[in-house]
């Protein structure tokens, strides 16, 4: 069981699930986030993050996930990686549902922004103060996107909102890390 708790098992599970879902294009319309229907359906709050526009989109998201997990492997266990993906995915989706734009999206890039910012915050808290520079650069990039800068590889006009919502989810990840549900329940002494 100890081997399963290492980060690589969680990473393998997530990649296998994403590849499986990518191989099922007939399901994509059901799994896609659409702000008009997401709360009635529910599952696209998380499922949209694990399907992609195509194999190139999936490959780049998979590479981003693998790099984040491998570079900051000391922060990940199977359980926390899966929890972080779910928490960031749902938080990102809820924030996107709240904004007044009509959004439809798939992909992991928003969650990747959240995971990256979470790892940078952890590094800063661990004494690696120079990580502030990378975190500031990440926040500046997202602000530039919100102000209208969009590289040619962006697909859709609302990618900046997705990245911003994912970035904000990092704060929730940091707050909730390694917390148990039982910790929220008051105990009588």
């Amino acid at each position: 069981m100890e081997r399963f708790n290492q980060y690589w098992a969680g990473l393998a599970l997530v990649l296998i699930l994403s590849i499986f879902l990518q191989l099922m294009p007939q399901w994509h319309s059901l799994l896609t986030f659409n702000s008009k229907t997401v709360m009635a359906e529910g599952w696209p709050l998380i499922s949209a993050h694990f399907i992609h526009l195509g194999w190139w989109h999936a490959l780049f998201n998979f590479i981003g996930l693998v790099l984040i997990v491998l570079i900051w492997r000391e922060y990940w266990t199977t359980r926390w990686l899966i929890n972080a993906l779910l928490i960031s995915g749902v938080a990102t989706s809820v924030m996107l549902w709240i904004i007044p734009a009509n959004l439809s999206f798939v992909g992991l890039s928003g969650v990747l922004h959240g995971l990256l910012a979470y790892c940078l915050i952890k590094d800063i808290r661990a004494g690696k103060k120079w990580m502030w520079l990378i975190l500031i650069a990440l926040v500046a990039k997202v602000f530039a996107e919100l102000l209208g800068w969009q590289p040619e590889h962006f697909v859709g006009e609302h990618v900046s909102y997705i990245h911003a919502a994912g970035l904000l989810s990092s704060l929730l990840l940091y707050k909730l890390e390694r917390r148990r549900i039982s910790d929220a329940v008051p105990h009588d002494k």
Side-chain angles (χ1 to χ4, degrees):
M1 194 62 169
E2 179 66 29
R3 286 179 122 1
F4 185 74
N5 200 31
Q6 296 175 356
Y7 67 89
W8 59 265
L11 182 59
L13 287 171
V14 169
L15 292 175
I16 289 168
L17 171 67
S18 295
I19 290 168
F20 172 76
L21 291 175
Q22 197 61 28
L23 290 168
M24 300 296 171
Q26 66 273 22
W27 297 355
H28 288 194
S29 63
L30 296 171
L31 302 176
T32 298
F33 177 99
N34 183 309
S35 53
K36 289 182 180 179
T37 60
V38 70
M39 287 306 183
E41 296 168 340
W43 59 85
L45 289 169
I46 194 64
S47 65
H49 300 284
F50 296 99
I51 59 173
H52 296 84
L53 296 170
W55 283 105
W56 283 110
H57 184 220
L59 178 65
F60 284 113
N61 277 252
F62 296 164
I63 290 169
L65 179 62
V66 168
L67 287 173
I68 290 169
V69 172
L70 291 180
I71 291 169
W72 287 282
R73 62 183 159 269
E74 69 270 18
Y75 299 144
W76 304 112
T77 63
T78 290
R79 181 179 183 174
W80 179 234
L81 178 60
I82 291 171
N83 284 343
L85 287 163
L86 294 174
I87 291 166
S88 181
V90 170
T92 298
S93 293
V94 168
M95 284 184 260
L96 293 170
W97 175 70
I98 290 171
I99 65 172
N102 183 25
L103 288 158
S104 182
F105 81 90
V106 295
L108 199 56
S109 65
V111 172
L112 294 177
H113 278 72
L115 297 180
L116 177 57
Y118 162 78
C119 291
L120 293 171
I121 292 167
K122 291 281 291 178
D123 275 354
I124 292 164
R125 298 286 295 168
K128 298 176 185 174
K129 299 299 182 195
W130 59 274
M131 288 296 194
W132 272 110
L133 297 173
I134 299 172
L135 184 58
I136 290 168
L138 180 63
V139 171
K141 176 197 94 69
V142 170
F143 270 115
E145 291 171 359
L146 288 169
L147 294 173
W149 174 76
Q150 292 195 352
E152 289 183 24
H153 68 271
F154 274 15
V155 179
E157 61 182 299
H158 300 297
V159 174
S160 57
Y161 295 146
I162 298 164
H163 292 172
L167 187 64
L168 288 173
S169 77
S170 67
L171 301 173
L172 184 61
L173 289 177
Y174 185 73
K175 178 71 176 160
L176 293 179
E177 75 174 328
R178 310 219 191 281
R179 303 275 194 297
R180 296 178 306 183
I181 294 173
S182 62
D183 292 341
V185 178
H187 300 293
D188 293 332
K189 293 184 179 184

